[in-house]
Amino acid sequence: MSGKKSLGRFLTENAVVILFLLITIAAIPSSGLSIQYILQEMITRLGRNTFLVLALILPIYAGMGLNFGMTLGAMSGQLGLILAINFNVGGVEGLAFAALLGTPVSVLMGYICGSVLNKAKGREMVTGYMLAFFINGIYQLVILYMMGAIFPIRSPAILLSRGYGIRNTLNLEGVRQSLDNLLMLRLGGYALPLATFIVIAVLCAFVIWFKKTKLGQDMRAVGHDMTVAESAGVPVDRTRIIAIIISTVLACYGQIIFLQNMGNMATYNAHDQTSFFAVAAILVGGASVKKASIPNVFIGVILLHVLFVVTPRAGQNLFGSAMIGEYFRQFIGYGVIALSLVLYAWRARKDALRAREGLRRASIAAAPEGAAK
Amino acid sequence: MSEKKVDPKIAARRLLVRGGLVVAYVFLVGLFFVTGKGHTVLVDNKDAADGSAVGINGALVSIDGREALEQYPGDRDIVLLKGQRHRVRIQLPSGEPPIEMSLALPLNTDMLLLSIPKLVAKQAGYLEEFVQRDQPRPADEKVGDNNAFTSPDAPVTTPAP
Amino acid sequence: MGQQGPILSVEHVSKEFYGNVVLNDVCFELKAGEILGLVGENGAGKTTLMRILFGMPVIAETGGYKGRICLDGQEVRFSSPFDALDSGIGMVHQEFSLIPGFTTTENIVLNRESMRPSILNDVFGDRMSVLDRPDMRKRAEAAIAKLGVKLDPDLLISEMPVGHKQFTEIAREITRTKTRILVLDEPTAVLTESEAEVLLAALRNIAKLGIAIIFISHRLREVVDVADRVVVLRDGLAIKDLPVAGVSVRDIASWMVGRTVAADAVAGGEGREFGDELLKVEGLWVDMPGETVRDVSFSVRKGEILGFGGLAGQGKLGIPNGIMGLYPAGGSVGLRGKGVPLDSPRAALEAGMAFVSEDRRGVGLLLDESLDWNIAFTAMQVQGAYLRPILGGLFKIRDEAGMRKLTEEYVGALDIKCTSPKQKAKELSGGNQQKICLAKAFAVKPDLLFVSEPTRGIDVGAKKLVLDTLHRYNREYGTTIVMVSSELEELRAICDRIAIVDEGRIAGILPPTAELPEFGLLMSGLAARNAREAVNA
């Protein structure tokens, strides 16, 4: 009886992961892709996306939900890369240069985002999403009109032919895969970008360590119950802002790592779906609005991207059109976010119901204990 | 709250550390700028304009120990370099011991012309900034839905040679 | 810290809110290691006194207080609860301020964690220190040992019984090294009998360590058991301040409620005849925040007025709110033998019940609408009254004339002071708004009317009018009424029977003619305890 119940709980708690696993397993054979190919793709995509997804953990930890505002960090990273390209700084040094220039911008962005989210407690996710649109406007203003007109740009190659504004697509040749190739390990036919994985491992270690600090504990307290944390003297607003700043800075670095792997950058919309796919990945990995861990990140990136690799081929083979797979991918991305949010709300209601049952049982147990006998 | 009562010794140390970090930040930005600065060097084996040096037939030019470029008169090869100090090694077909020398590129240049004949002839001005005039700009591409994240066909892992 | 002098003395403290005197010249003293029982009815001023002691901002915002509060003979005026904490006054709240997802240890040392500095401290400040979990655990264990209770330091709060939560709160207060005075506000309200026993023993242990305790409880038996001295507050006056030795629970109960009873107040209990059983409620539980109903069964006969009394937070308000479907509820409710579904206000209304909510401005009235709208609204929505079919029944439009007539009828009958039926509800005074609520309920011609706190926040004259209205409708139209009120006097004035609710259960049902101390005893939780003991024996 209780075993059955706990199995049911396990199923509802991991519904998204299980669903994804099933779809993926079903889609792999029909795609006709070799396991070697899929594995190599996974290694590449883990290196490319994991850092970005890890940036989401701390805000969830601080009870602020999924940080759709991480787009702000991605924009800061792109700004850094544009400057690196402009000064023709290449290689790993170029990436570090871009990251260093992006850091203060992303700290500022994180501070703005955190302050705004503090004004919208309980509605952080939708506020962050909208804020990203707003800052996107400013980003475009700066890149499209000011660069070359107000801020001097050295390299005419990155400007639009009218003389100001950055080109729509930037070739990141100078820094292309420079981090991945720094320590490329070749193992039995697979290429392992060791340096990228080391960077990711360092970030994981940082997240684990951070949770053990006083600030991490405060974030947890704030995430669980703001009122109690406040009454215990934890500076709630400040802690929440710090969580967002860290997330934004990490998103900045994550976007730089992502783009160096891609090798080129859509100046005006590379960041559009950054938060969206990072959020989808962490949710697929079994995280919820309130709970996320490092394994969630890895499971999520792998599952989501296996599906992304496999579906166009599967669509091609099954329906004669890769577009169906492409469509399916978009559909799944949004579907998974909606499903997770609904499941979360549903689970919260179930928990409330369970608590209420407890209330009643307590009343029966406590009152006429003797009378029942 | 806890930061109210930091004792002055620690406060001084913190000021020092934080100040040091700001300095380190500026230093690192500068360092990466200098060491990561990319230069395009055109290795040129054409006759000098005044005829003072002539193209060398079959010179092997190697920069920083990379694979040597085999050059014949009139050749011009492109080499991408990072940083400012480089070593050039030229093996002449005559079988003389190779010429080795260090090359200092000015920081604030993007494209330089390295004239091998002038260098071999030990003339001044073997390295000069190359300014492109009337560079044809690539046409502006349309703003499209460049969805790099999902596109499987975007350039992925092919590691650069 | 001398054992001789008082560590806390409250001298001539008075406080009024907008001309309403809440505390009047209250004086008492507290010595180290002493347990002071502070008792009083709702509104006697206990909460206000504690707010003053803690420097809650609300006190300063409402004009401060008169008198002095001295710690070790030095006058103090705290501007925030944190100042009070820094001066060594700890508070255990009625509602838990614990984090459910944290362990006992984490909660006990919340925001006072043991830390080891890390290298990042110099960059980002002290908050980058790493927690020293073994030391945190050691401190938590020490605090638990001081209390003399059994608590698992690694258990999550969400998984522990209520009693243990209470202990965790107390342990948190005593881990503050400076804590010398501990205030406990109704610490046993949520505890079972045995848990309360353990808690009292723990309090004695703490007192032995030299910490003074102010113990606020409505369970007088516990006060007598544990306190060294008792202070009884009534209507803002400290009417008794004496050692507990030799004082009985009954004495305290009568001091607590025993105001000068108006002789004409008791009007009920005239031995009336009632009809058949109209409402039967069995095993009702209601999850209303702050007013949880755990297990309530009762029945009402036709034509009767049943009153529910009891202290705030014990669950009396939850009963009508649960039956009318405004909060999640369970159990069985039958009207005239027919089951009424819970969780559906409409079904309850359609079954013939109406509810005058204690939340007049929120639930009771459409503040921005006119009076006729307000009065006819429920009748229109539920019974389709005051709607006229047009175009052969395709649409229905409001019957303005009918509504106007109805409104004028009630304005006359209830003596509602208004300029016209089109006046907006928010423009009326509290008493008249209450009458509008009553008119709205009467307009659906209910078989059973629930009235919750009908006289809250209205002046004395209006109170009498409202009560008279209820009384008249009961007598003239035979409307059965269930009335919930914090004011015992008004229940005694019009009810035929009065049920006292305590801890989410009915502690007992008394006739209105019963003596005041008997009501006091029921409210103090003693009767429930005795009953339980009798059952267990």
Side-chain angles (χ1 to χ4, degrees):
Chain A
M1 171 79 185
S2 76
K4 203 172 158 193
K5 230 180 199 169
S6 67
L7 179 72
R9 264 190 97 164
F10 175 81
L11 285 180
T12 54
E13 260 159 39
N14 297 292
V16 182
V17 184
I18 295 166
L19 191 71
F20 245 75
L21 209 58
L22 292 179
I23 300 177
T24 310
I25 290 171
I28 287 177
S30 46
S31 71
L33 293 171
S34 71
I35 294 300
Q36 281 85 350
Y37 175 79
I38 295 178
L39 267 177
Q40 179 60 55
E41 274 296 286
M42 275 320 98
I43 293 170
T44 311
R45 283 158 184 260
L46 268 176
R48 190 196 294 163
N49 295 304
T50 310
F51 202 100
L52 273 173
V53 183
L54 281 168
L56 287 171
I57 286 190
L58 286 181
I60 296 180
Y61 205 57
M64 303 178 79
L66 305 158
N67 182 20
F68 283 102
M70 73 184 281
T71 311
L72 274 56
M75 287 186 242
S76 318
Q78 284 164 210
L79 204 65
L81 275 175
I82 291 174
L83 291 176
I85 298 303
N86 175 43
F87 290 116
N88 196 12
V89 184
V92 184
E93 292 95 334
L95 293 181
F97 182 75
L100 282 175
L101 292 189
T103 306
V105 182
S106 55
V107 168
L108 178 72
M109 287 295 141
Y111 182 79
I112 293 172
C113 184
S115 310
V116 170
L117 295 191
N118 273 341
K119 302 255 180 313
K121 287 183 183 133
R123 299 182 301 279
E124 286 91 351
M125 282 193 272
V126 70
T127 311
Y129 206 65
M130 289 303 134
L131 190 68
F133 282 122
F134 170 66
I135 299 291
N136 186 24
I138 296 179
Y139 171 84
Q140 301 210 342
L141 182 76
V142 171
I143 306 281
L144 190 57
Y145 292 103
M146 294 186 180
M147 287 219 165
I150 296 177
F151 309 121
I153 291 293
R154 273 183 83 256
S155 159
I158 64 170
L159 284 182
L160 290 167
S161 54
R162 68 179 186 204
Y164 63 90
I166 304 293
R167 298 179 68 84
N168 298 329
T169 307
L170 277 191
N171 188 348
L172 302 181
E173 195 157 12
V175 293
R176 178 176 293 154
Q177 290 170 8
S178 48
L179 180 64
D180 295 342
N181 290 335
L182 188 64
L183 270 174
M184 186 62 90
L185 192 68
R186 292 186 186 280
L187 253 180
Y190 297 110
L192 219 70
L194 208 57
T196 313
F197 282 126
I198 289 173
V199 170
I200 291 169
V202 167
L203 176 60
C204 289
F206 170 76
V207 169
I208 293 168
W209 175 80
F210 184 81
K211 286 183 180 179
K212 292 183 183 163
T213 63
K214 167 73 175 136
L215 187 56
Q217 182 79 352
D218 287 352
M219 267 181 206
R220 237 180 100 210
V222 169
H224 276 287
D225 194 324
M226 262 187 264
T227 341
V228 173
E230 182 89 68
S231 69
V234 177
V236 171
D237 283 2
R238 204 180 135 84
T239 307
R240 284 161 54 96
I241 290 178
I242 293 174
I244 292 294
I245 289 181
I246 296 177
S247 173
T248 313
V249 172
L250 291 182
C252 164
Y253 300 161
Q255 185 76 348
I256 290 173
I257 292 176
F258 174 75
L259 289 172
Q260 62 88 27
N261 179 275
M262 299 304 295
N264 53 26
M265 166 172 134
T267 316
Y268 296 101
N269 40 26
H271 54 271
D272 274 359
Q273 294 190 305
T274 305
S275 66
F276 167 65
F277 281 103
V279 162
I282 202 166
L283 290 177
V284 166
S288 79
V289 182
K290 282 273 171 206
K291 234 176 82 195
S293 63
I294 290 174
N296 290 147
V297 171
F298 285 94
I299 296 172
V301 171
I302 291 174
L303 278 180
L304 189 72
H305 284 277
V306 168
L307 206 72
F308 280 178
V309 170
V310 158
T311 43
R313 285 300 192 89
Q316 177 77 51
N317 294 345
L318 291 177
F319 308 104
S321 159
M323 276 315 287
I324 291 198
E326 189 62 44
Y327 153 79
F328 200 51
R329 238 168 10 187
Q330 294 284 329
F331 161 79
I332 280 177
Y334 286 103
V336 110
I337 294 180
L339 179 71
S340 305
L341 296 180
V342 169
L343 272 179
Y344 176 74
W346 177 72
R347 226 179 286 150
R349 221 179 48 226
K350 273 237 152 169
D351 286 346
L353 223 65
R354 204 174 295 132
R356 209 166 278 148
E357 267 172 34
L359 167 95
R360 203 180 168 200
R361 228 178 293 126
S363 89
I364 292 162
E369 220 170 335
K373 280 172 199 165
Chain B
M1 218 172 61
S2 50
E3 286 187 277
K4 270 188 232 158
K5 358 164 204 192
V6 177
D7 83 83
K9 240 181 179 169
I10 295 179
R13 197 180 71 203
R14 286 192 178 170
L15 200 69
L16 211 70
V17 171
R18 287 172 196 183
L21 273 179
V22 173
V23 173
Y25 176 84
V26 173
F27 172 75
L28 281 178
V29 169
L31 179 75
F32 290 137
F33 181 75
V34 171
T35 58
K37 174 79 188 172
H39 302 276
T40 309
V41 175
L42 303 170
V43 181
D44 184 281
N45 197 14
K46 286 180 182 162
D47 299 353
D50 55 0
S52 55
V54 230
I56 299 157
N57 199 4
L60 291 170
V61 182
S62 161
I63 300 182
D64 295 341
R66 297 189 203 180
E67 200 184 331
L69 306 159
E70 194 172 2
Q71 288 210 318
Y72 294 95
D75 279 2
R76 182 178 277 183
D77 291 300
I78 292 182
V79 181
L80 297 176
L81 295 178
K82 220 168 62 180
Q84 282 73 45
R85 309 221 127 256
H86 302 280
R87 286 206 71 74
V88 186
R89 184 170 186 271
I90 303 170
Q91 173 81 58
L92 295 174
S94 49
E96 298 166 38
I99 304 170
E100 276 202 53
M101 63 174 299
S102 81
L103 195 63
L105 310 177
L107 177 64
N108 198 26
T109 54
D110 281 336
M111 200 174 266
L112 294 147
L113 189 87
L114 177 67
S115 171
I116 298 298
K118 282 189 186 177
L119 193 145
V120 173
K122 299 202 165 52
Q123 281 186 11
Y126 58 86
L127 186 71
E128 55 190 27
E129 184 162 10
F130 185 85
V131 184
Q132 286 173 299
R133 272 177 301 269
D134 301 327
Q135 183 191 15
R137 286 168 173 278
D140 295 342
E141 66 273 46
K142 284 246 164 27
V143 181
D145 190 279
N146 189 336
N147 192 348
F149 207 119
T150 44
S151 171
D153 309 317
V156 213
T157 30
T158 32
Chain C
M1 273 210 265
Q3 283 280 16
Q4 310 83 328
I7 54 172
L8 172 77
S9 54
V10 172
E11 295 169 12
H12 308 288
V13 167
S14 300
K15 166 77 192 159
E16 52 184 63
F17 284 107
Y18 312 111
N20 186 7
V21 178
V22 192
L23 284 177
N24 193 353
D25 203 26
V26 172
C27 305
F28 65 84
E29 289 184 340
L30 189 61
K31 293 192 189 68
E34 189 178 34
I35 304 181
L36 176 79
L38 186 63
V39 298
E41 265 192 309
N42 293 324
K46 289 176 295 185
T47 315
T48 309
L49 188 57
M50 291 306 118
R51 281 189 181 153
I52 291 174
L53 188 56
F54 272 87
M56 296 283 190
V58 65
I59 298 296
E61 282 158 16
T62 52
Y65 61 93
K66 292 200 203 87
R68 308 197 317 149
I69 290 177
C70 300
L71 275 179
D72 294 327
Q74 298 276 314
E75 179 171 2
V76 286
R77 255 169 211 270
F78 302 127
S79 54
S80 89
F82 290 116
D83 291 350
L85 286 176
D86 285 343
S87 307
I89 306 181
M91 173 93 173
V92 177
H93 300 268
Q94 215 164 344
E95 64 278 6
F96 299 120
S97 56
L98 297 171
I99 294 180
F102 274 25
T103 64
T104 317
T105 302
E106 286 171 319
N107 268 295
I108 289 176
V109 297
L110 187 61
N111 206 28
R112 290 192 315 277
E113 291 92 349
S114 323
M115 297 185 278
R116 274 176 285 121
S118 77
I119 42 163
L120 285 186
N121 274 22
D122 287 343
V123 185
F124 296 112
D126 287 336
R127 291 227 273 168
M128 295 312 290
S129 304
V130 180
L131 298 185
D132 184 355
R133 288 197 176 264
D135 189 57
M136 282 160 62
R137 205 191 137 102
K138 226 161 52 198
R139 281 167 56 201
E141 277 169 349
I144 294 168
K146 263 192 207 169
L147 273 178
V149 294
K150 263 198 203 137
L151 263 186
D152 180 355
D154 299 321
L155 193 65
L156 288 185
I157 293 294
S158 56
E159 287 166 7
M160 56 170 65
V162 220
H164 289 191
K165 294 183 190 172
Q166 191 66 271
F167 294 139
T168 309
E169 285 242 354
I170 297 171
R172 172 156 85 203
E173 293 311 316
I174 63 174
T175 46
R176 288 181 214 275
T177 43
K178 279 181 292 189
T179 300
R180 290 179 294 156
I181 302 170
L182 191 59
V183 179
L184 296 114
D185 190 0
E186 298 284 0
T188 57
V190 289
L191 302 190
T192 64
E193 244 2 275
S194 51
E195 284 171 336
E197 285 298 328
V198 181
L199 179 92
L200 296 186
L203 291 187
R204 287 187 204 104
N205 287 338
I206 302 171
K208 269 184 214 136
L209 301 173
I211 296 175
I213 296 173
I214 298 179
F215 180 73
I216 302 173
S217 177
H218 74 277
R219 290 185 178 176
L220 301 181
R221 170 70 180 276
E222 290 168 0
V223 174
V224 172
D225 275 358
V226 76
D228 303 314
R229 228 146 44 83
V230 61
V231 169
V232 181
L233 283 181
R234 193 173 75 210
D235 296 334
L237 287 161
I239 58 156
K240 291 280 175 191
D241 179 355
L242 70 177
V244 158
V247 175
S248 77
V249 173
R250 213 179 172 83
D251 293 339
I252 301 179
S254 58
W255 292 330
M256 213 168 87
V257 287
R259 64 196 66 169
T260 42
V261 182
D264 64 330
V266 182
E270 55 212 44
R272 299 199 296 140
E273 290 290 313
F274 302 117
D276 301 331
E277 183 181 84
L278 181 68
L279 177 76
K280 189 168 177 63
V281 174
E282 275 184 336
L284 179 76
W285 60 264
V286 183
D287 186 18
M288 177 175 173
E291 288 280 344
T292 310
V293 179
R294 293 180 186 276
D295 187 6
V296 161
S297 303
F298 63 92
S299 69
V300 188
R301 300 168 77 90
K302 194 160 172 42
E304 189 182 20
I305 304 183
L306 175 65
F308 280 102
L311 297 176
Q314 299 297 324
K316 61 178 188 303
L317 290 180
I319 296 172
N321 278 297
I323 294 175
M324 294 304 289
L326 297 177
Y327 286 93
S332 81
V333 173
L335 193 69
R336 277 185 243 93
K338 258 173 55 188
V340 178
L342 293 162
D343 297 342
S344 161
R346 193 179 176 92
L349 287 166
E350 280 172 350
M353 298 190 281
F355 179 36
V356 178
S357 171
E358 71 282 352
D359 183 12
R360 264 205 303 275
R361 305 180 80 85
V363 178
L365 287 175
L366 307 163
L367 288 171
D368 284 318
E369 297 296 342
S370 61
L371 299 183
D372 53 353
W373 250 94
N374 268 292
I375 292 178
F377 189 76
T378 315
M380 196 192 296
Q381 294 295 320
V382 178
Q383 300 170 338
Y386 309 105
L387 291 172
R388 260 185 320 147
I390 58 163
L391 295 176
L394 199 57
F395 298 104
K396 288 177 177 169
I397 60 163
R398 293 203 300 273
D399 177 5
E400 298 284 349
M403 281 164 60
R404 196 177 175 87
K405 196 166 147 277
L406 170 87
T407 308
E408 277 165 358
E409 187 187 317
Y410 280 108
V411 166
L414 301 185
D415 192 21
I416 297 169
K417 299 208 169 47
C418 60
T419 53
S420 90
K422 287 285 169 206
Q423 199 178 2
K424 296 241 185 335
K426 65 178 174 194
E427 293 166 6
L428 297 188
S429 71
N432 284 310
Q433 284 183 345
Q434 185 63 41
K435 284 187 224 164
I436 296 287
C437 289
L438 285 174
K440 181 174 142 193
F442 290 139
V444 299
K445 306 200 166 53
D447 298 332
L448 179 64
L449 178 64
F450 288 100
V451 191
S452 191
E453 301 282 10
T455 61
R456 184 189 275 180
I458 60 182
D459 60 59
V460 185
K463 271 183 189 174
K464 187 158 166 50
L465 263 174
V466 167
L467 291 178
D468 285 351
T469 308
L470 287 171
H471 191 256
R472 202 176 78 230
Y473 263 80
N474 173 259
R475 295 301 134 94
E476 288 174 15
Y477 301 96
T479 312
T480 312
I481 297 175
V482 175
M483 172 165 146
V484 179
S485 174
S486 305
E487 304 213 10
L488 198 51
E489 288 318 306
E490 68 183 48
L491 290 172
R492 293 178 82 204
I494 70 165
C495 295
D496 298 304
R497 285 187 299 153
I498 299 166
I500 298 297
V501 180
D502 184 45
E503 296 172 28
R505 302 186 179 80
I506 294 181
I509 300 186
L510 294 170
T513 47
E515 304 231 337
L516 272 178
E518 291 190 48
F519 287 105
L521 280 179
L522 285 180
M523 288 186 201
S524 72
L526 189 68
R529 180 195 154 106
N530 289 343
R532 226 169 284 156
E533 274 172 3
V535 169
N536 285 336

